Amino acid sequence: MYEHRVGANRLASLREDLVVTGEREQLDVIEPFSGDVLASIPAGTEADVDAAVERARAARTAWANRPVEERAAVLERYAERVLDDQAELLDMAQLETGKTRRDAFEEVLDVAQTATHYADAGPDLLTSERRRGALPGLTKTTVHRQPKGVVGIIAPWNYPVTLAVSDALPALLAGNAVVLKPAEETTHSALLARRLLVDAGLPPELFQVVSGTGERVGAGLVDRVDYVCFTGSTEAGRSVAERAGRALIDCSLELGGKNPLLVLDDADPETAANGAIRASFPNAGQLCISTERLYVHESVYEPFRDAFVAATEDLDLGSGFEFGADVGSLQSAAQLEKVERHVDDAVEKGADVLAGGRARPDIGPFFYEPTVLEGVTPEMTLYDEETFGPVVSLFPVHSVEEAIERANDSPYGLNASVWAGDRDRGERVAERIDCGTVNVNEGYAASWASVDAPMGGVDDSGIGRRHGDDGLLKYTEPQTVAVQRGVRIDSGPLPDAVWARLMTGAVKLLSQVPERFR
Ligand code: NAD
């Protein structure tokens, strides 16, 4: 049996990278597999945030002045480093979250893919671009992509490696410095991911980390940076957006979801059921883009339900530091309490439990069985509230139209999944779903791993995008520099009335010239 190799000394050495400017209260970090205290982290203060931002700001100009290819080379080396040193990253992510090795591996893969993508695509996207000038031939207009300055990143605990660094990579590539506030529960995973980036050649001052609570360090960070990238709950996201609004800085908010999965009448029920398992229970359902509502056409409902329930019951729960288990632990007592509360409320109000429905303290203190419910109605809390656990509800629908309507009947709009026999038909249905990403014949991985394409939510699921061109360019200010030669763009020596007549004629004439000749 594989045992993790992260000792107390290693954890302490990683904490040395935190910005702490004085004696601080300590916050316990719990190891979810056992419920024991793993370590403690300092509860940072505004003074720590001040120091971190100051250090980051001092380092950023020299970094921004380095050729973009040099910055991209750091990302390239990082991708290799993360893959080579994955064992410790997997250990650390499992230790702090209780997830399975496979779920932890998805994080490593994501970081490596994101780093490689931006190392390849970034330099072109950041190249200054000539645009059509005010007076063709006489105005030379160029758009430069200037870095924002210091980017604040606030991350949740569910994907502690990915969400700590994958958004930092494009920010750094664009010439910014970064200050990260990781989740209290998973600070060491973030510190390890950052340490590897420094090993890959990033000047350490450019990436500062402050540990502590969201209310103090997170909020303090928003007040001091030039851009904030927040991932977490909708409630905290609103508060970040309000603060960012007051500071007049831009932000991206990647928030919660209550993601629908649709099974159309021409889908193979067995294939769709197996796909729905991967869509519903990754990371024990603690994934913002995993499924919680399944709308299944009545013509395939029964065979789908039978296959889905059987496959759910077959899932192996486990707490080992090796590959094998299908479903890991919930991250905390609070997560377990929320999942139990949602399921108990649904059952009390008449829902049927088709699979699961109970905690498994025999495996670990926060384990909960993958759970399938039927007969869920609007009075039940989990009907429209995000559970963020291994609990899904099945709903038979009479038509594809009804499935689309019910999928869209949600305050959220993050991710959706459509299962169809005819892929083209599936694609047409996908386009009608009000979510930032929709996967056809996949749960979430196809759109998430398409790192060249934007990813994010609409409505209560957030603002802005990660991945794709937007995921890099959001960390830049477009700056337009226009150089005028020959005539000036004003009336000059002409009387204003003559100038106005001339300009009217010129604009009319210009509008007749085809776009490509202007
Ligand atoms: P959370 O909002 O409680 O915390 C997220 C981070 O924000 C933590 O670092 C926390 O300390 C900090 N924070 C909390 N309140 C803050 C405030 N007022 N100001 C600034 N920072 C604050 O969320 P969580 O419980 O850690 O994560 C679970 C939630 O995150 C779920 O709703 C899930 O759907 C969402 N999530 C979304 C995505 C996405 O990409 N859309 C990805 C992962 C998780």
Side-chain angles (χ1 to χ4, degrees):
M1 197 170 116
Y2 175 82
E3 278 301 327
H4 75 80
R5 283 168 294 182
V6 182
N9 289 345
R10 179 62 166 159
L11 295 172
S13 118
L14 289 169
R15 284 196 302 275
E16 283 169 15
D17 293 347
L18 288 169
V19 181
V20 195
T21 58
E23 281 295 308
R24 297 287 174 256
E25 186 197 330
Q26 298 292 305
L27 305 173
D28 282 347
V29 176
I30 304 292
E31 182 189 342
F33 280 152
S34 65
D36 296 339
V37 175
L38 175 70
S40 60
I41 53 156
T45 63
E46 287 79 0
D48 301 330
V49 181
D50 264 338
V53 173
E54 207 174 289
R55 288 176 206 176
R57 212 174 277 293
R60 75 152 197 110
T61 308
W63 172 248
N65 286 341
R66 277 169 60 172
V68 65
E69 290 74 20
E70 274 183 33
R71 303 197 301 260
V74 174
L75 267 61
E76 239 168 72
R77 287 196 295 275
Y78 184 54
E80 223 178 289
R81 192 74 203 233
V82 162
L83 292 172
D84 289 348
D85 290 358
Q86 61 177 274
E88 193 183 11
L89 276 171
L90 300 180
D91 287 352
M92 195 70 87
Q94 284 199 277
L95 260 178
E96 289 193 319
T97 63
K99 63 175 63 192
T100 65
R101 196 105 181 139
R102 184 178 62 194
D103 290 325
F105 178 70
E106 282 193 1
E107 298 204 51
V108 165
L109 204 57
D110 173 76
V111 170
Q113 273 183 313
T114 306
T116 306
H117 168 68
Y118 282 119
D120 285 350
D124 269 356
L125 287 169
L126 294 170
T127 302
S128 301
E129 213 184 355
R130 281 288 289 276
R131 307 301 306 221
R132 194 170 62 237
L135 294 182
L138 298 176
T139 316
K140 178 184 158 216
T141 302
T142 310
V143 177
H144 302 285
R145 289 284 171 178
Q146 305 291 5
K148 291 268 184 188
V150 178
V151 169
I153 294 184
I154 302 175
W157 46 261
N158 62 333
Y159 279 74
V161 175
T162 290
L163 296 173
V165 287
S166 282
D167 293 310
L169 296 172
L172 292 163
L173 181 71
N176 299 283
V178 164
V179 179
L180 167 70
K181 206 301 272 177
E184 298 87 309
E185 298 85 348
T186 54
T187 298
H188 298 92
S189 300
L191 287 170
L192 177 58
R194 174 208 173 265
R195 182 75 73 84
L196 294 179
L197 190 50
V198 171
D199 291 349
L202 184 81
E205 310 76 37
L206 277 167
F207 194 154
Q208 307 285 338
V209 187
V210 185
S211 61
T213 64
E215 290 70 22
R216 192 144 189 207
V217 177
L221 190 57
V222 182
D223 293 341
R224 289 163 174 81
V225 291
D226 306 305
Y227 183 93
V228 66
C229 168
F230 173 86
T231 307
S233 60
T234 299
E235 193 191 351
R238 280 190 210 285
S239 142
V240 167
E242 280 172 14
R243 258 191 137 88
R246 273 201 300 277
L248 278 183
I249 59 164
D250 208 352
C251 62
S252 59
L253 307 168
E254 304 277 348
L255 311 177
K258 184 79 186 173
N259 306 307
L261 180 147
L262 287 69
V263 181
L264 308 193
D265 45 359
D266 65 343
D268 173 52
E270 188 97 16
T271 310
N274 286 326
I277 290 286
R278 275 302 294 152
S280 303
F281 304 120
N283 214 37
Q286 301 166 116
L287 170 59
C288 54
I289 47 182
S290 60
T291 295
E292 294 197 4
R293 306 179 281 149
L294 290 82
Y295 300 104
V296 185
H297 195 277
E298 60 190 6
S299 65
V300 289
Y301 185 77
E302 276 186 27
F304 174 88
R305 179 187 60 192
D306 294 349
F308 185 66
V309 168
T312 303
E313 283 169 345
D314 271 355
L315 291 169
D316 281 330
L317 281 73
S319 64
F321 285 87
E322 54 212 354
F323 287 99
D326 297 312
V327 180
S329 174
L330 293 174
Q331 201 278 331
S332 61
Q335 277 295 109
L336 177 63
E337 186 275 322
K338 185 178 183 195
V339 168
E340 284 187 315
R341 185 161 40 83
H342 276 202
V343 174
D344 292 351
D345 166 78
V347 170
E348 264 167 38
K349 292 174 180 162
D352 292 319
V353 178
L354 304 184
R358 61 195 179 114
R360 290 295 299 272
D362 52 316
I363 306 174
F366 312 139
F367 274 82
Y368 196 89
E369 286 182 346
T371 298
V372 183
L373 302 176
E374 198 180 45
V376 168
T377 55
E379 307 74 56
M380 303 173 190
T381 306
L382 56 65
Y383 182 81
D384 52 10
E385 236 185 65
E386 182 187 44
T387 302
F388 213 55
V391 182
V392 299
S393 310
L394 294 187
F395 303 95
V397 289
H398 302 303
S399 66
V400 171
E401 285 307 309
E402 186 191 344
I404 296 171
E405 214 170 280
R406 295 186 67 175
N408 287 341
D409 184 20
S410 165
Y412 293 110
L414 190 55
N415 182 57
S417 168
V418 177
W419 291 80
D422 176 348
R423 284 193 299 272
D424 293 340
R425 182 166 169 246
E427 200 171 347
R428 287 194 299 277
V429 168
E431 288 166 16
R432 294 179 55 199
I433 297 186
D434 303 335
C435 284
T437 52
V438 189
N439 296 263
V440 177
N441 293 347
E442 237 314 330
Y444 61 87
S447 61
W448 175 273
S450 298
V451 286
D452 191 25
M455 188 275 147
V458 301
D459 301 330
D460 284 3
S461 292
I463 298 176
R465 297 290 181 266
R466 57 163 57 96
H467 293 173
D469 299 356
D470 309 40
L472 172 68
L473 297 178
K474 69 182 181 181
Y475 296 123
T476 65
E477 286 295 352
Q479 179 200 35
T480 300
V481 175
V483 181
Q484 189 62 27
R485 58 177 182 179
V487 296
R488 293 202 330 249
I489 309 182
D490 61 20
S491 54
L494 295 175
D496 283 351
V498 176
W499 178 74
R501 266 203 310 280
L502 273 176
M503 287 309 288
T504 304
V507 169
K508 281 188 175 173
L509 196 68
L510 211 58
S511 70
Q512 305 302 313
V513 179
E515 175 92 14
R516 63 183 183 284
F517 296 124
R518 279 192 248 153

